[in-house]
């Protein structure tokens, strides 16, 4: 039995929560390896709904869950999320939740800077969640971050605080804000340290030991490949690499441990926030997709933009992430449409492309080239086998496979965990 890495193959919000929950019941370890608390998962287990934005999805089932070094951790949000899940009956202890000792921390000054920048950008705003993710990653790369292991050595923090404050004080002054209150920051860190440190571990060591012992490891990514800082619709992207290869660097397990790469793909396309979206629908069909799919962000509550399935973008995601198979979600949202469209290319200033050009000015004017298919009037909701699907729905799935050059491994037909058609078992590869 191998390991599995789960990524979003669009702009996030593809329904990773249900798929990861479905897989985590069969995994021994679930690892979150990038991002922060800016990306949410909604899990429906029985009659209970859990909304996670930082903790790995495996935690609700008691599976050993790991926050890897590639994650930026807001310790105060971590504490609040643990408390909320505890109130819902989830048992969370240092025995079933580990945090990498080298995780960079998101501090209050990071979220402050995030908001100041967004407010100052005007029409050029990126549409961040204002939760400090980007500034925290900047400090990590600038070698001035405060990390989880620093919480055990706060008396030796002066040099790091000098580096941190020299950078942030200059930025804050530019926005007309006072310098960082170092005393208040240290006091806040001293208060939160006893909450975080019991979970701190050399997770790279634990993961390598688990692999040698034949344990099944599930790697859980946040956001989607189209938000990758290198491969996404830059600059309207997140601040980390969201492709499958990041599972290695963000956890400390070598590249050969990534295993089966499962790309989660919605049967249509959605996006939250600013940025290009060639197949976006601003008509009645777009509204219908949003209403039927309950398209609101788990973390922000923002309404998602909706459009037809974009095979060009998913094919790019499959290529740059080495996707082995896809999990197609929300097929049931398409029930009842007379006609469906799939984007198979773009026209940009009179030139045709079979990929999305890299420059934002070209992306914003890209006109989708559509292929039309008949829809189906029967319901796919709750289907658990191919025999339960209308023939036209199967034809739609098969056409997607052809266009994205990747096979379907799973089909999800409702938020319920068991309403899943298993075509290929990722853990069996």
């Amino acid at each position: 039995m191998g390991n599995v890495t789960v990524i979003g193959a669009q702009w996030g919000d593809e329904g990773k929560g249900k798929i990861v929950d479905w897989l985590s019941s069969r995994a021994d370890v679930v690892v979150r390896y990038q991002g922060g608390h800016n990306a949410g998962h909604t899990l429906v287990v029985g009659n209970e709904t859990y909304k996670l934005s930082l903790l790995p999805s495996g935690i609700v089932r008691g599976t050993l869950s790991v926050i890897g070094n590639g994650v930026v951790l807001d310790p105060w949000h971590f504490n609040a999320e643990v408390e909320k899940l505890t109130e819902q009956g989830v048992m969370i202890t240092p025995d079933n939740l580990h945090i990498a000792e080298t995780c960079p921390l998101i501090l209050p000054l990071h979220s402050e800077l995030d908001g100041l920048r967004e407010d100052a950008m005007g029409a050029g705003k990126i549409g961040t969640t204002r939760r400090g993710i980007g500034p925290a990653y900047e400090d990590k790369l600038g070698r001035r971050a405060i990390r989880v292991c620093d919480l055990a050595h706060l008396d030796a923090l002066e040099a790091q605080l000098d580096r941190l404050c020299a950078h942030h004080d200059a930025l804050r002054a530019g926005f007309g804000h006072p310098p960082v209150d170092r005393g208040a920051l240290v006091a806040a860190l001293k208060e939160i340290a006893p909450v975080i440190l019991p979970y701190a571990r050399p997770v790279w060591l634990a993961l390598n030991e688990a692999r040698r012992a034949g344990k099944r490891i599930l790697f859980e990514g946040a956001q989607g490949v189209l938000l990758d800082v290198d491969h996404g619709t830059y600059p309207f992207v997140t601040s980390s690499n969201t492709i499958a290869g990041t599972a290695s660097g963000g956890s400390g397990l070598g590249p050969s441990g990534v295993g089966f790469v499962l790309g989660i793909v919605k049967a249509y396309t959605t996006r939250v926030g600013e940025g290009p979206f060639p197949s976006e629908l601003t008509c009645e069909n777009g509204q219908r997709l949003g209403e039927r799919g309950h398209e609101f962000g788990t973390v922000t509550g923002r309404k998602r933009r909706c459009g037809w399935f974009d095979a060009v973008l998913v094919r790019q995601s499959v290529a740059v992430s080495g996707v082995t198979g896809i999990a197609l979600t929300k097929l049931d949202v398409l029930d009842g449409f007379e006609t469906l469209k799939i984007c198979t290319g773009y026209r940009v200033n009179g030139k045709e492309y079979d990929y999305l050009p890299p420059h934002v000015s070209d992306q914003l004017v890209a006109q989708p080239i559509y292929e039309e298919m008949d829809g189906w009037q029967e319901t796919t909701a709750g289907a658990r086998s191919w025999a339960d699907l209308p023939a036209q729905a199967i034809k739609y799935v098969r056409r997607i496979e052809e266009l994205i050059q990747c096979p379907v491994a799973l089909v999800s037909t409702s938020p319920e965990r068991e309403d899943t058609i298993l075509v290929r078992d990722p853990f069996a590869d």
Side-chain angles (χ1 to χ4, degrees):
M1 302 294 278
N3 299 334
V4 177
T5 298
V6 176
I7 62 164
Q10 292 162 307
W11 276 296
D13 305 307
E14 302 93 348
K16 291 187 293 294
K18 171 192 167 174
I19 302 299
V20 171
D21 175 54
W22 188 84
L23 290 168
S24 67
S25 65
R26 302 165 63 223
D28 300 300
V29 187
V30 179
V31 184
R32 171 81 183 274
Y33 59 83
Q34 53 77 220
H37 62 302
N38 57 335
H41 289 337
T42 299
L43 308 181
V44 180
V45 182
N47 295 322
E48 193 73 45
T49 298
Y50 304 96
K51 293 185 180 293
L52 310 180
S53 56
L54 178 61
L55 299 182
S57 299
I59 198 67
V60 302
R61 296 194 176 276
T63 306
L64 176 60
S65 298
V66 172
I67 296 176
N69 57 276
V71 175
V72 284
L73 180 94
D74 182 322
W76 297 277
H77 177 88
F78 170 86
N79 188 39
E81 194 166 316
V82 168
E83 288 182 348
K84 180 171 177 55
L85 288 175
T86 300
E87 290 173 359
Q88 290 185 272
V90 178
M91 181 70 69
I92 302 175
T93 73
D95 291 328
N96 64 5
L97 179 62
H98 297 170
I99 301 174
E101 297 170 318
T102 51
C103 258
L105 299 180
I106 300 175
L107 307 172
L109 56 85
H110 291 132
S111 54
E112 290 173 12
L113 178 59
D114 210 353
L116 289 170
R117 283 175 170 168
E118 279 289 285
D119 291 339
M121 285 181 188
K125 67 178 180 178
I126 302 297
T128 77
T129 57
R130 299 171 177 255
R131 295 193 169 200
I133 312 298
Y137 272 118
E138 290 174 31
D139 282 348
K140 174 185 178 179
L141 295 180
R143 294 165 293 182
R144 52 184 173 264
I146 295 174
R147 304 185 298 173
V148 168
C149 57
D150 290 319
L151 295 175
H153 300 276
L154 290 175
D155 292 339
L157 204 58
E158 282 303 309
Q160 197 68 356
L161 283 172
D162 287 343
R163 285 188 284 271
L164 182 72
C165 293
H167 177 77
H168 280 271
D169 285 349
L171 292 174
R172 292 166 70 92
F175 286 110
H177 268 59
V180 174
D181 187 334
R182 290 174 62 148
L185 176 58
V186 172
L189 291 171
K190 285 182 177 179
E191 183 179 6
I192 200 66
V195 175
I196 304 300
L197 286 174
Y199 298 95
R201 298 285 190 284
V203 301
W204 66 269
L205 182 59
L207 291 175
N208 278 275
E209 289 175 348
R211 186 185 180 194
R212 283 194 297 271
K215 303 289 188 182
R216 288 170 293 191
I217 304 173
L218 178 63
F219 296 94
E220 174 186 10
Q223 290 103 13
V225 173
L226 300 177
L227 292 173
D228 185 281
V229 70
D230 287 306
H231 300 285
T233 48
Y234 191 91
F236 300 97
V237 294
T238 193
S239 302
S240 62
N241 287 111
T242 59
I243 59 173
T246 311
S248 175
S251 67
L253 192 64
S256 60
V258 170
F260 187 106
V261 179
L262 183 66
I264 315 301
V265 178
K266 199 174 286 185
Y268 48 101
T269 310
T270 61
R271 178 167 199 168
V272 171
E274 310 296 326
F277 187 170
S279 68
E280 182 176 11
L281 296 171
T282 56
C283 61
E284 181 183 341
N285 282 333
Q287 184 176 347
R288 183 178 177 185
L289 287 171
E291 290 173 353
R292 294 200 62 187
H294 306 290
E295 297 296 351
F296 295 90
T298 300
V299 170
T300 63
R302 288 183 292 181
K303 184 178 180 180
R304 296 175 187 142
R305 300 152 64 190
C306 297
W308 296 122
F309 186 85
D310 191 327
V312 184
L313 290 178
V314 176
R315 185 168 62 242
Q316 287 183 219
S317 295
V318 165
V320 300
S321 255
V323 174
T324 315
I326 68 164
L328 191 68
T329 67
K330 292 200 169 185
L331 184 63
D332 54 303
V333 174
L334 300 181
D335 292 353
F337 279 87
E338 291 288 340
T339 303
L340 300 173
K341 294 183 181 182
I342 300 176
C343 177
T344 59
Y346 309 114
R347 283 192 187 87
V348 180
N349 299 320
K351 182 179 178 181
E352 291 192 6
Y353 287 82
D354 62 357
Y355 64 93
L356 188 65
H359 199 276
V360 66
S361 62
D362 291 330
Q363 295 173 353
L364 287 170
V365 298
Q367 296 298 308
I369 299 171
Y370 284 124
E371 176 180 302
E372 291 192 6
M373 296 184 66
D374 290 335
W376 55 89
Q377 301 309 304
E378 307 93 324
T379 182
T380 63
R384 299 184 182 183
S385 71
W386 286 119
D388 296 332
L389 294 179
Q392 195 60 32
I394 296 175
K395 185 177 179 181
Y396 181 78
V397 174
R398 293 305 186 200
R399 185 57 180 148
I400 284 175
E401 288 181 312
E402 293 172 357
L403 290 170
I404 68 173
Q405 299 171 2
C406 185
V408 167
L410 301 165
V411 180
S412 171
T413 57
S414 92
E416 294 298 325
R417 183 171 173 266
E418 299 304 325
D419 290 341
T420 303
I421 301 171
L422 177 63
V423 182
R424 181 180 178 187
D425 187 348
F427 274 123
D429 279 60

